[in-house]
Amino acid sequence: MMKKSKPPNSRRVEIQQLYQSYTSDQTTMPVCTLLRFLHKEQMELTANEEMAESLIDRYEIEETARKSRSMTFEGFFRYMESKDCCVFNQAHTSVYQDMNQPLTSYFISSSHNTYLTGDQLVGKSRLDAYVCALRKGCRCLEIDCWDGPDMEPVVYHGYTLTTKILFKDVITTVEQHAFEVSAYPVILSLENHCSQEQQEVMARHLITLLGDKLLRAPLDHPATGGLPSPNDLKYKVLIKNKKLKAEREEAAGTEAEGYVDEGEDDDEEEEDEDEEVEDHQTKTKFWYPRKAGPKKTKKKVVVAKALSDLVIYTGSVKFISFSQAKDNQSPSENTSMAEKKARKLVKASAADFVQHNQNFLSRIYPAGSRTSSSNYNPQEFWNVGSQLVALNFQSLGLPMDLNDGRFQDNGGCGYVLKPAVLTSSRRSFDPGSSRRSHKPTHLLLKVISGSNLPVRRSGKAVDPFVRVEIHGIASDSRRKNTHTVKNNSLSPHWDTDMNFSIRIPELCLVRFCVRDQTGLLSSEFVGQYTLPFTSLKKGYRWVPLLSRDGCNLDPASLFVFVWLS
C-alpha cells in the first residue's frame, strides 16, 4: 500500500505540534512545563527541575528565555534533535556494567580469520584488518599460523591462495593498537599449524614484542576456582592455544601431550555428508556436498613448551560432551566448535549449553564451507551464553549489524555482561522453552517519519519503508513493516504503530532497517541501526542510520515514539 508523504521539514512540523501542545498560547516553555514534558512524554522519571534547567542552559540560545528559565521552540527543537533524544541511551556510551565478574559472565566481541579482507580462497591478508577489528572493539582476534621461510612463521588461510603476512608483524600491530578503544583484555586465538621450531619463534616474538602487555603468569586473585575478571586483566593480552598438561598427565601416569591439529578443531563437520548453510539476508539455503575422495589425515605436532607456557587462562581443549566437561574441564580451559556442531547442541540440550557457559568459555566459528566469508546469525549462540561468538568482520550484512549493535553497549569496550537468565545457577534456562515461564514485556513502537534518506545512485528519490526487527530467543524474534511511501527521500511520513510482546527483553536486539521498495516483492537496503533492547530510551526519539559498512549516514534518521509496559 502506498501513501502520500507530508511536505518537507515534516519532523520540524511534528516537533512544533508537540511543543504547542504543552505551551498552548505561551511563546516559551517554562521550566515546570519542560519538566512535565520530560516526565510524561520522555518517561525521564528521575528528571528534576535542576535537570530541566541544565537542558535550557545547553540548548537555548535566546538570552531572554535563558534568563527567565524557559525554552523557545528553537531551543526545544535543538534539544529534540540532540544526543539527549537519541533512541540509544547515552549513559550506555561509557562503561557502566560490573566489570568484576569472571570472564565467563560476558559476551566478548570476537573475530574469525581476522587477517582476511575478502574470501577464504584468494582474499588478501592484511595487517590493517587487525587494526579495523580492534578499533571496532573486537577483543578476540584469530591468527592462523604456518611455518614460513627463514624460520619466520606466516599468517594466512592454509592450503589456499590467500596472501601471507608475517606473524611478527601481526603481533607488532596488536601491540600498537590493542588498547586504543578499550582497556579490557585482548585474547589472541592461535590456530597453530607450526612446527615446534617455529612455535618457539612465535613464543619469542610474543614475549619481546608484547612486553609487559603479555600475561605470562596467573594473577593473585581470590581462589574462587573461576576465571579472573575483565578488570583484573586490564591492558593484558592472553594467548589462546593448546597447552601441554605435563603435571596432570604425569600424575595420571601417562605421557604429557598437547597436540596442534591441522584444522580449527576436530569437528563433526568433516564427518557429515553435506552441510546446509543459510544466507540470513535472503533466507536462501545452499547445500555444500562433502568433498569426494579419501578423508585428509591430520598430522599432529606437539605444542612447544615455550608457547605452552604462555597459555594461562585460555587453554584450548576438544569438546566431547557437557558431562565430560563438567567432570574433567578446568575453568582455564575452553572449547571451540563450528556453527553446525554448536547448532546441534543448542537443539538437543540448550539448557546444558547455558550451564556449560556459566563455567567455561566457548568459542563458535563459521562453517568451513563459508568460503565467501559469509556469517551465521550470532544471536542463536548468544542465546545459550557462548562468550566468543566469532564472525568474519570483513563481511557486511545482518550478522555484523547485530554484532555491532550488541557491542556498542557498555561503552563499546568489547565486553558486555550477560543477562541474569544466563548466569544464574539457581534456575536453569532454556531459550527454546521459555515462552510460558516469563511474563512478557510489551513494546509499542510508533514509526513516525524519516528525514534526509540517501537517494538512489541515479539521483532519484527512494520509495522507503521501515522494517523493525526483534532478534532474541526464537519466540521473541519478529519483524514488522510500515507501508511504503512513494518517491520521498527527504521527509517520508509513516505514522505506523507496531506492537511486540517480548519474554526475554534483556537478550533482545532491536534493528531498524530502511528499505527501498523496488518492485512488488523486492526491496533494497538503504540504512539501518541496531541496539540492545535494554539500551532503548522511551518517548519521542530519533534513530541514527548507518550504511551497510557501518558509516553514519547523518543527517539521515528516523523519528519514533517508544513505549514499554
Side-chain angles (χ1 to χ4, degrees):
M1 181 172 92
M2 303 281 189
K3 284 198 179 178
K4 286 186 177 175
S5 180
K6 280 194 172 184
N9 295 322
S10 67
R11 183 175 310 170
R12 190 176 178 90
V13 171
E14 289 147 8
I15 293 174
Q16 197 150 21
Q17 288 168 349
L18 201 54
Y19 179 80
Q20 286 169 348
S21 71
Y22 275 81
T23 55
S24 301
D25 298 329
Q26 293 172 286
T27 52
T28 61
M29 181 184 279
V31 71
C32 59
T33 307
L34 177 58
L35 185 57
R36 187 157 54 88
F37 171 81
L38 294 174
H39 287 161
K40 189 179 173 189
E41 305 294 349
Q42 303 301 76
M43 275 73 87
E44 303 273 9
L45 302 181
T46 58
N48 54 21
E49 201 164 297
E50 188 182 351
M51 179 184 162
E53 288 188 354
S54 78
L55 292 179
I56 291 170
D57 289 335
R58 223 176 310 162
Y59 299 112
E60 183 53 63
I61 58 173
E62 214 275 297
E63 197 59 40
T64 315
R66 286 180 68 165
K67 281 181 179 170
S68 64
R69 313 315 286 147
S70 62
M71 200 177 243
T72 63
F73 170 69
E74 290 301 329
F76 184 74
F77 184 69
R78 266 190 290 276
Y79 157 65
M80 291 294 290
E81 294 280 275
S82 75
K83 285 283 174 73
D84 280 311
C85 283
C86 180
V87 73
F88 183 77
N89 187 339
Q90 295 303 290
H92 294 185
T93 59
S94 304
V95 174
Y96 68 96
Q97 295 177 343
D98 179 3
M99 302 305 282
N100 293 308
Q101 300 295 315
L103 290 182
T104 44
S105 296
Y106 299 84
F107 295 128
I108 303 169
S109 180
S110 303
S111 171
H112 176 250
N113 289 348
T114 314
Y115 49 90
L116 282 180
T117 56
D119 65 55
Q120 297 177 25
L121 298 177
V122 295
K124 285 189 164 51
S125 305
R126 294 177 61 110
L127 294 173
D128 51 2
Y130 285 94
V131 180
C132 289
L134 287 165
R135 285 180 176 166
K136 285 188 89 168
C138 185
R139 299 285 88 189
C140 181
L141 309 170
E142 187 179 42
I143 310 176
D144 284 14
C145 312
W146 299 81
D147 282 355
D150 305 320
M151 284 298 288
E152 280 296 347
V154 292
V155 175
Y156 81 114
H157 202 258
Y159 307 114
T160 69
L161 299 175
T162 57
T163 58
K164 298 171 183 176
I165 49 180
L166 291 175
F167 177 80
K168 66 179 179 183
D169 290 345
V170 172
I171 303 308
T172 299
T173 302
V174 170
E175 191 278 330
Q176 289 170 347
H177 300 280
F179 304 109
E180 262 181 28
V181 301
S182 172
Y184 296 105
V186 169
I187 300 167
L188 299 184
S189 182
L190 304 184
E191 191 183 329
N192 184 354
H193 308 267
C194 291
S195 63
Q196 284 200 65
E197 294 76 19
Q198 294 215 15
Q199 288 181 58
E200 286 169 6
V201 175
M202 288 164 58
R204 277 202 303 277
H205 286 327
L206 288 166
I207 291 165
T208 55
L209 297 173
L210 292 175
D212 291 343
K213 293 185 175 84
L214 179 64
L215 184 75
R216 297 187 60 185
L219 302 177
D220 293 327
H221 68 286
T224 55
L227 291 172
S229 70
N231 265 346
D232 293 330
L233 295 165
K234 266 186 170 180
Y235 302 108
K236 290 295 179 189
V237 177
L238 281 63
I239 305 304
K240 177 180 170 300
N241 190 70
K242 286 190 171 70
K243 185 174 176 66
L244 291 165
K245 300 180 189 173
E247 291 176 13
R248 186 183 300 177
E249 300 291 349
E250 281 167 16
T254 58
E255 189 182 345
E257 289 184 346
Y259 290 120
V260 176
D261 299 330
E262 286 209 0
E264 198 134 7
D265 255 84
D266 297 321
D267 200 87
E268 271 176 23
E269 276 190 323
E270 297 174 359
E271 297 158 17
D272 286 317
E273 286 304 307
D274 19 51
E275 176 171 1
E276 184 184 14
V277 174
E278 183 175 328
D279 182 322
H280 287 277
Q281 293 289 67
T282 62
K283 297 295 176 191
T284 306
K285 291 186 178 179
F286 304 94
W287 289 92
Y288 292 91
R290 186 169 65 84
K291 289 186 180 114
K295 193 172 166 183
K296 186 177 71 181
T297 312
K298 288 186 178 182
K299 70 176 183 184
K300 296 200 171 185
V301 183
V302 177
V303 178
K305 185 175 187 303
L307 186 59
S308 174
D309 288 347
L310 303 182
V311 180
I312 309 302
Y313 292 117
T314 42
S316 301
V317 295
K318 180 178 168 60
F319 178 83
I320 296 166
S321 70
F322 293 128
S323 58
Q324 189 274 346
K326 192 174 181 181
D327 294 339
N328 298 286
Q329 198 170 323
S330 143
S332 60
E333 292 175 327
N334 56 74
T335 53
S336 275
M337 64 182 84
E339 60 176 286
K340 188 177 181 188
K341 183 173 184 176
R343 200 170 285 122
K344 283 181 178 174
L345 291 169
V346 170
K347 284 179 181 171
S349 43
D352 290 335
F353 212 156
V354 170
Q355 192 175 38
H356 176 86
N357 288 325
Q358 290 175 359
N359 301 309
F360 310 106
L361 291 174
S362 70
R363 179 174 177 270
I364 316 296
Y365 58 88
S369 52
R370 292 183 182 272
T371 53
S372 65
S373 295
S374 62
N375 283 313
Y376 53 75
N377 186 325
Q379 187 68 46
E380 59 186 322
F381 304 120
W382 289 329
N383 286 344
V384 291
S386 288
Q387 299 86 356
L388 303 163
V389 179
L391 297 178
N392 293 301
F393 270 45
Q394 77 273 29
S395 298
L396 311 175
L398 173 65
M400 272 309 295
D401 291 346
L402 298 180
N403 198 75
D404 292 346
R406 172 76 65 203
F407 290 105
Q408 73 161 318
D409 195 7
N410 204 29
C413 75
Y415 284 79
V416 171
L417 195 61
K418 296 197 290 192
V421 290
L422 293 176
T423 57
S424 171
S425 55
R426 289 192 297 278
R427 57 183 297 188
S428 70
F429 172 68
D430 183 340
S433 63
S434 58
R435 184 187 290 266
R436 293 172 298 278
S437 57
H438 292 77
K439 187 184 173 195
T441 295
H442 294 287
L443 166 66
L444 165 65
L445 260 177
K446 183 190 281 286
V447 180
I448 301 169
S449 62
S451 178
N452 296 292
L453 304 180
V455 296
R456 293 173 182 163
R457 283 196 187 127
S458 64
K460 184 179 179 293
V462 296
D463 296 342
F465 68 92
V466 180
R467 176 176 293 158
V468 177
E469 305 164 359
I470 306 293
H471 295 267
I473 61 169
S475 60
D476 285 345
S477 298
R478 293 282 182 276
R479 69 183 198 184
K480 296 185 178 182
N481 295 343
T482 66
H483 57 269
T484 299
V485 170
K486 194 76 175 160
N487 195 32
N488 191 332
S489 297
L490 189 61
S491 56
H493 190 87
W494 297 283
D495 212 23
T496 301
D497 286 355
M498 298 179 180
N499 286 283
F500 298 93
S501 183
I502 300 171
R503 297 273 171 182
I504 313 289
E506 59 270 41
L507 261 175
C508 284
L509 294 166
V510 183
R511 182 173 186 257
F512 297 87
C513 188
V514 180
R515 300 190 69 84
D516 176 16
Q517 191 84 51
T518 53
L520 190 61
L521 297 172
S522 61
S523 63
E524 290 180 1
F525 176 91
V526 174
Q528 70 84 33
Y529 185 72
T530 307
L531 74 163
F533 183 97
T534 50
S535 296
L536 270 179
K537 288 285 277 183
K538 293 180 274 192
Y540 287 95
R541 304 288 167 182
W542 60 273
V543 179
L545 289 174
L546 308 178
S547 64
R548 195 175 285 285
D549 58 0
C551 294
N552 199 319
L553 291 171
D554 183 59
S557 60
L558 301 175
F559 190 48
V560 300
F561 179 78
V562 181
W563 175 263
L564 298 174
S565 61

